Coordinates of all heavy atoms in Angstrom, one line a residue:
Chain A
M1 N 219.6 289.6 117.5 CA 220.8 290.5 117.6 C 220.4 291.9 117.0 O 219.9 291.9 115.9 CB 222.0 289.9 117.0 CG 223.2 290.8 117.2 SD 224.7 290.1 116.3 CE 225.0 288.7 117.4
I3 N 220.8 295.4 115.1 CA 221.7 295.7 114.0 C 222.8 296.7 114.3 O 223.8 296.8 113.7 CB 220.8 296.3 112.8 CG1 221.5 296.2 111.5 CG2 220.4 297.7 113.1 CD1 220.6 296.3 110.3
L6 N 225.9 295.0 115.1 CA 226.7 294.6 113.9 C 227.5 295.8 113.3 O 228.6 295.6 112.8 CB 225.7 294.0 112.9 CG 225.0 292.8 113.3 CD1 224.0 292.3 112.2 CD2 225.9 291.6 113.5
L9 N 230.5 296.2 115.4 CA 231.4 295.1 115.0 C 232.1 295.4 113.7 O 233.4 295.2 113.6 CB 230.6 293.8 114.9 CG 231.4 292.5 115.0 CD1 232.1 292.4 116.3 CD2 230.5 291.3 114.8
L10 N 231.4 296.0 112.8 CA 232.0 296.3 111.5 C 233.1 297.4 111.7 O 234.2 297.3 111.1 CB 230.9 296.9 110.5 CG 231.3 297.1 109.1 CD1 231.8 295.8 108.4 CD2 230.2 297.7 108.3
T17 N 241.7 295.9 111.3 CA 242.4 295.7 110.0 C 243.5 296.7 109.8 O 244.6 296.4 109.4 CB 241.4 295.8 108.9 OG1 240.3 294.8 109.1 CG2 242.0 295.5 107.5
S20 N 246.3 295.9 112.1 CA 247.0 294.7 111.6 C 247.9 295.1 110.4 O 249.0 294.5 110.3 CB 246.0 293.6 111.2 OG 245.2 293.3 112.3
G23 N 251.0 296.5 111.7 CA 251.8 295.4 112.3 C 252.5 294.6 111.2 O 253.7 294.2 111.3
V24 N 251.7 294.2 110.1 CA 252.3 293.5 109.0 C 253.4 294.3 108.4 O 254.5 293.7 108.0 CB 251.2 293.2 108.0 CG1 251.8 292.7 106.6 CG2 250.2 292.1 108.5
Y27 N 256.6 294.1 110.7 CA 257.3 292.8 110.6 C 257.9 292.5 109.3 O 259.0 291.9 109.2 CB 256.4 291.7 111.2 CG 256.3 291.8 112.6 CD1 255.0 292.0 113.2 CD2 257.3 291.7 113.5 CE1 254.8 292.1 114.6 CE2 257.2 291.8 114.9 CZ 255.9 292.0 115.4 OH 255.8 292.1 116.7
H30 N 261.1 294.4 109.2 CA 262.1 293.7 110.0 C 262.7 292.5 109.3 O 263.9 292.3 109.2 CB 261.4 293.2 111.3 CG 261.3 294.2 112.4 ND1 262.3 295.1 112.6 CD2 260.3 294.5 113.2 CE1 261.9 296.0 113.6 NE2 260.7 295.6 113.9
I31 N 261.8 291.7 108.7 CA 262.2 290.4 108.0 C 263.1 290.8 106.8 O 264.1 290.2 106.5 CB 261.0 289.6 107.6 CG1 260.4 289.0 108.8 CG2 261.4 288.5 106.6 CD1 259.1 288.4 108.6
Y34 N 266.4 291.9 107.9 CA 267.2 290.8 108.4 C 267.8 290.0 107.3 O 268.9 289.6 107.3 CB 266.4 289.9 109.3 CG 267.1 288.6 109.7 CD1 268.0 288.7 110.7 CD2 266.8 287.4 109.1 CE1 268.7 287.6 111.1 CE2 267.5 286.3 109.5 CZ 268.5 286.4 110.5 OH 269.1 285.2 110.9
Q38 N 271.6 289.4 106.3 CA 272.2 288.1 106.2 C 272.9 287.9 104.9 O 274.0 287.3 104.8 CB 271.1 287.0 106.4 CG 271.7 285.7 106.8 CD 270.7 284.6 106.8 OE1 269.9 284.5 106.0 NE2 270.8 283.8 107.9
Chain B
N3 N 269.4 280.7 100.0 CA 269.5 281.1 101.4 C 268.7 280.1 102.3 O 267.7 279.6 101.9 CB 268.8 282.5 101.5 CG 268.9 283.1 102.8 OD1 268.7 282.5 103.9 ND2 269.4 284.4 102.8
N5 N 266.9 280.6 104.7 CA 265.6 281.1 105.2 C 264.6 281.1 104.1 O 263.4 281.4 104.3 CB 265.8 282.5 105.7 CG 266.6 282.6 107.0 OD1 266.4 281.7 107.8 ND2 267.5 283.5 107.1
F98 N 229.9 282.4 115.6 CA 228.7 282.7 116.2 C 227.8 283.6 115.3 O 226.7 283.4 115.0 CB 228.9 283.4 117.6 CG 227.7 284.0 118.2 CD1 226.7 283.1 118.8 CD2 227.4 285.3 118.2 CE1 225.6 283.7 119.4 CE2 226.3 285.9 118.7 CZ 225.3 285.0 119.3
L99 N 228.6 284.6 114.7 CA 227.9 285.5 113.8 C 227.4 284.8 112.5 O 226.4 285.2 111.9 CB 228.9 286.6 113.4 CG 228.4 287.9 112.9 CD1 227.5 288.6 113.9 CD2 229.6 288.8 112.5
L124 N 224.3 294.8 105.3 CA 225.2 294.9 106.4 C 225.9 293.5 106.5 O 227.2 293.5 106.8 CB 224.5 295.2 107.7 CG 225.3 295.3 108.9 CD1 226.4 296.3 108.8 CD2 224.5 295.7 110.1
F125 N 225.2 292.4 106.4 CA 225.8 291.1 106.4 C 226.9 291.0 105.3 O 228.0 290.4 105.6 CB 224.8 290.0 106.2 CG 223.9 289.8 107.4 CD1 222.7 289.2 107.3 CD2 224.4 290.2 108.7 CE1 221.9 289.0 108.4 CE2 223.6 290.0 109.8 CZ 222.3 289.4 109.7
M131 N 234.4 292.4 105.2 CA 235.4 293.0 106.1 C 236.0 291.9 107.0 O 237.2 292.0 107.3 CB 234.6 294.0 107.0 CG 235.5 295.1 107.6 SD 236.4 296.0 106.4 CE 238.0 296.0 107.0
F135 N 239.9 291.3 107.4 CA 240.6 291.3 108.7 C 241.3 290.0 109.0 O 242.4 289.9 109.5 CB 239.6 291.6 109.8 CG 240.1 291.4 111.2 CD1 240.9 292.4 111.8 CD2 239.9 290.2 111.9 CE1 241.4 292.2 113.1 CE2 240.4 290.1 113.2 CZ 241.2 291.1 113.8
I138 N 244.6 289.6 107.0 CA 245.7 290.5 107.4 C 246.1 290.1 108.8 O 247.3 290.1 109.1 CB 245.2 292.0 107.3 CG1 245.0 292.3 105.9 CG2 246.3 292.9 107.9 CD1 244.4 293.7 105.6
F139 N 245.2 289.8 109.7 CA 245.6 289.4 111.0 C 246.4 288.1 111.0 O 247.3 287.9 111.8 CB 244.4 289.3 111.9 CG 244.7 289.3 113.4 CD1 245.0 290.5 114.0 CD2 244.6 288.2 114.2 CE1 245.3 290.6 115.4 CE2 244.9 288.2 115.5 CZ 245.3 289.4 116.1
L142 N 249.8 288.8 109.9 CA 250.5 289.4 111.0 C 251.1 288.3 111.9 O 252.3 288.4 112.3 CB 249.6 290.3 111.8 CG 250.2 290.9 113.1 CD1 251.4 291.8 112.7 CD2 249.1 291.7 113.8
K146 N 255.1 287.5 112.3 CA 255.7 287.6 113.7 C 256.4 286.3 114.0 O 257.5 286.2 114.5 CB 254.6 287.9 114.7 CG 255.1 287.9 116.1 CD 256.0 289.0 116.4 CE 256.5 288.9 117.9 NZ 257.7 289.8 118.1
F149 N 259.4 285.9 111.9 CA 260.5 286.8 112.4 C 261.2 286.2 113.6 O 262.4 286.3 113.7 CB 259.9 288.2 112.8 CG 260.8 289.1 113.3 CD1 261.9 289.6 112.6 CD2 260.8 289.5 114.7 CE1 262.8 290.5 113.1 CE2 261.7 290.4 115.2 CZ 262.7 290.9 114.4
I152 N 263.6 283.3 112.4 CA 264.8 283.7 111.8 C 265.6 284.7 112.6 O 266.8 285.0 112.3 CB 264.6 284.3 110.4 CG1 263.8 285.7 110.5 CG2 263.9 283.4 109.5 CD1 263.7 286.4 109.2

Side-chain angles (χ1 to χ4, degrees):
Chain A
M1 186 182 285
I3 200 162
L6 296 178
L9 201 60
L10 189 62
T17 303
S20 300
V24 165
Y27 286 118
H30 279 317
I31 290 170
Y34 174 77
Q38 198 187 43
Chain B
N3 188 310
N5 292 319
F98 172 75
L99 201 63
L124 181 57
F125 286 158
M131 201 61 225
F135 171 79
I138 294 173
F139 198 75
L142 173 64
K146 174 66 181 171
F149 177 68
I152 65 175

